[in-house]
Amino acid sequence: MIPPRLVPLLEQFDFACERLVGRLSGPVMDSGDGTDTKVGPMTDEEYLWEPVPACWSVRRRADGPGERATLLAGAGEWGRDAAPHPHPWPPPFTSIAWRLSHISEMVSLRADHTAGDHARTRDDSLVCGDAAGAVAAFEEAASAWRQALLSADDTALDTVGYCTYPHGSDAEEPFVDIVWWVNQELLHHGAEIALLRDLYRSRER
């Protein structure tokens, strides 16, 4: 039995995921007015596109971090530009690859720290260097988070620190607020990614 308070948040999460994956993969996406709009799948070139100088993205470890970054976060052959606190100011502009990797890591780690082993770190989060792999990683992470949400009852929603994710305010807030926050992050970065797809398509006009 899903707690009534969780139902609208879960529905919002599902819709946001469906809309983002459609926007990235096609063949159609939700246009926002109830009609479908044709869209092609994101290419690797578009995924890694750096629209401005000193952009943060994901890079091969052999190439090292980008400008103003001091390390490549994550696991695998590729890593995501990063720097310890305090972060560079003004914040670096980030590519689709960076934003999608960030979302996937945040969601997958929170899933583990809610209903998993409570042990995964950023060093365990695989960073993908190709568009198809990144979309698949996001879908896997989103599925894990959804399953974690389904394990939460009303008591869990009110429990401060129910999720032990170490890189946010999880230790200070009831779980229902963290659920809301994850939705906000997904909507926020999903909109940014959609805009970058539009800019990429229009870059030579």
Side-chain angles (χ1 to χ4, degrees), residues 29 43 61-62 80 86 92 105 111 127 178-179 185 192 195 202:
M29 67 173 185
T43 64
R61 295 196 183 278
R80 187 178 65 255
E105 177 197 272
V127 176
I178 300 303
V179 176
E185 282 283 279
E192 293 173 336
L195 175 60
S202 304

Side-chain angles (χ1 to χ4, degrees), residues 116-166:
D117 295 332
H118 297 254
R120 290 191 62 206
T121 70
R122 286 175 170 168
D123 292 337
D124 301 317
S125 184
L126 181 66
V127 176
C128 297
D130 66 290
V135 173
F138 168 73
E139 290 185 288
E140 181 179 353
S143 177
W145 176 242
R146 193 181 196 282
Q147 286 303 117
L149 294 181
L150 292 177
S151 71
D153 57 16
D154 263 314
T155 299
L157 292 178
D158 290 327
T159 300
V160 174
Y162 182 76
C163 175
T164 60
Y165 176 72

Side-chain angles (χ1 to χ4, degrees), residues 16-89:
C17 289
E18 179 182 359
R19 196 171 190 185
L20 177 56
V21 171
R23 189 70 173 81
L24 292 171
S25 302
V28 295
M29 67 173 185
D30 188 304
S31 64
D33 63 1
T35 61
D36 289 334
T37 300
K38 291 182 180 179
V39 61
M42 179 172 58
T43 64
D44 292 348
E45 179 184 3
E46 180 181 4
Y47 171 68
L48 295 169
W49 179 51
E50 298 184 24
V52 299
C55 187
W56 276 14
S57 189
V58 304
R59 309 181 191 282
R60 295 184 188 275
R61 295 196 183 278
D63 296 333
E67 188 174 337
R68 300 171 67 203
T70 59
L71 60 100
L72 290 172
E77 180 185 357
W78 294 73
R80 187 178 65 255
D81 283 328
H85 287 285
H87 297 315
W89 186 264

